[in-house]
Amino acid sequence: MKSSIKVFLKSIIVGLGGVAPGLSGSVLMIIFGLYRETLDAFSTLFVNFKKKISYLLPVICGMVIGVLIFGKIVDFLFDNYTVPTSYAFLGLILGTVPLFCQEVNKNGFSPKYYLLMLVSFLAGLFLFTLNTSSFSQLESLSFVQKILLGLVVVTSAIVPGVDQAVLLTTFGMYDIYINAIADVDFSVLLPMAFGMLIGAVVVSFIITKMFNHFYTATYSVIFGIFVSIIPNMIINKEAGVITVYKASALNILIAVLGFAVSYYMSDIKGNNERIRNLLKRGV
């Protein structure tokens, strides 16, 4: 098991993926080396329960604190700097693409998996980008809907690359979710937490089985969905009309900086070594 303090601090940053559009918490977990251990801990929670809980507690606490901290920041940025913030998250997402390619190819790859990628990409593109009218934005949630909100949140947090914000927006729940976090509204957060607890165990078990038996196929589908979500970062769908945010020089620069940050974080040790080698050659 990893150091609890390190796990806790990393999990705070992972919490950013719980509120930032396009930036999946599970992708951040992969970057920080927490994903498979967390997935295994949830999927086998009642096997060596004490050991699993001792690992999961700093993960959960860190993510909750991260969501509460970054929820207010993201809410402020999108309210006041919508377009630059959208391009920043676009860059952050694009910087994780090489990491996804590495994961897809880890256990071998063959051309047949391109079909899975294409089908999942087209399905995701229709559901998350082109579909503007199937789901209306909800003004309030019933108790059952709040539990379902938790299930959606934890599912998107567990499945790599499935963006929480886009998924919640599709189901008309994102505004309620982000406002509940920003306002610390326990009438929404407590039932949501119950749904998350149930979902964490069930979804982790299912995803673990899929990775164990269909690793490349599973990642191919996930990668296709992940790529289909990317256009949402610079698309505005107000009043059911799809428009693209203006790509000014400043916005492009912000996206490039976002890309550099996430690309560097995806392999911190390897990139540090490459930088050291470049500096040595320069000297």
Side-chain angles (χ1 to χ4, degrees), residues 193-219:
F194 180 66
M196 290 178 68
L197 180 61
I198 296 172
V201 176
V202 175
V203 177
S204 294
F205 177 80
I206 294 171
I207 291 295
T208 298
K209 291 294 184 182
M210 292 178 69
F211 278 140
N212 288 341
H213 298 286
F214 311 102
Y215 183 89
T216 306
T218 301
Y219 251 109

Side-chain angles (χ1 to χ4, degrees), residues 172-265:
M173 295 178 170
Y174 182 71
D175 288 344
I176 293 174
Y177 169 68
I178 200 70
N179 289 333
I181 291 172
D183 299 335
V184 194
D185 184 354
F186 287 108
S187 68
V188 175
L189 295 176
L190 289 179
M192 186 183 79
F194 180 66
M196 290 178 68
L197 180 61
I198 296 172
V201 176
V202 175
V203 177
S204 294
F205 177 80
I206 294 171
I207 291 295
T208 298
K209 291 294 184 182
M210 292 178 69
F211 278 140
N212 288 341
H213 298 286
F214 311 102
Y215 183 89
T216 306
T218 301
Y219 251 109
S220 296
V221 172
I222 290 170
F223 184 73
I225 295 173
F226 169 73
V227 174
S228 75
I229 287 173
I230 291 175
N232 281 276
M233 295 305 97
I234 55 172
I235 283 178
N236 182 22
K237 293 191 283 188
E238 290 183 359
V241 178
I242 298 176
T243 56
V244 178
Y245 289 133
K246 183 180 178 181
S248 66
L250 177 60
N251 292 334
I252 292 173
L253 176 61
I254 290 172
V256 170
L257 291 174
F259 176 90
V261 169
S262 63
Y263 181 79
Y264 171 76
M265 289 176 61

Side-chain angles (χ1 to χ4, degrees), residues 24-207:
S24 169
S26 50
V27 172
L28 291 175
M29 278 194 165
I30 292 172
I31 289 173
F32 289 120
L34 301 175
Y35 182 69
R36 290 310 295 266
E37 193 167 355
T38 302
L39 194 66
D40 291 340
F42 272 120
S43 64
T44 58
L45 182 62
F46 300 105
V47 179
N48 202 342
F49 181 78
K50 185 177 179 180
K51 184 178 180 181
K52 301 295 172 57
I53 285 296
S54 67
Y55 170 76
L56 288 173
L57 275 178
V59 173
I60 294 170
C61 291
M63 289 181 67
V64 169
I65 291 172
V67 165
L68 292 175
I69 293 172
F70 292 118
K72 292 182 180 294
I73 296 173
V74 170
D75 193 37
F76 171 81
L77 289 175
F78 272 104
D79 283 345
N80 296 278
Y81 309 99
T82 304
V83 178
T85 303
S86 297
Y87 272 91
F89 285 123
L90 173 66
L92 288 169
I93 298 162
L94 291 175
T96 63
V97 170
L99 175 68
F100 257 99
C101 293
Q102 180 182 333
E103 290 295 326
V104 170
N105 286 281
K106 184 178 287 186
N107 286 9
F109 191 83
S110 63
K112 66 182 180 181
Y113 294 113
Y114 286 119
L115 179 60
L116 284 175
M117 287 185 184
L118 178 61
V119 171
S120 58
F121 168 76
L122 293 175
L125 191 66
F126 171 76
L127 182 60
F128 301 122
T129 303
L130 302 178
N131 179 23
T132 60
S133 58
S134 293
F135 299 95
S136 58
Q137 296 302 304
L138 301 174
E139 297 295 329
S140 61
L141 300 179
S142 67
F143 183 77
V144 173
Q145 286 175 319
K146 291 172 185 176
I147 294 176
L148 290 175
L149 170 63
L151 287 170
V152 173
V153 167
V154 80
T155 299
S156 58
I158 291 171
V159 180
V162 176
D163 177 50
Q164 205 167 82
V166 173
L167 197 61
L168 289 173
T169 299
T170 300
F171 294 130
M173 295 178 170
Y174 182 71
D175 288 344
I176 293 174
Y177 169 68
I178 200 70
N179 289 333
I181 291 172
D183 299 335
V184 194
D185 184 354
F186 287 108
S187 68
V188 175
L189 295 176
L190 289 179
M192 186 183 79
F194 180 66
M196 290 178 68
L197 180 61
I198 296 172
V201 176
V202 175
V203 177
S204 294
F205 177 80
I206 294 171
I207 291 295

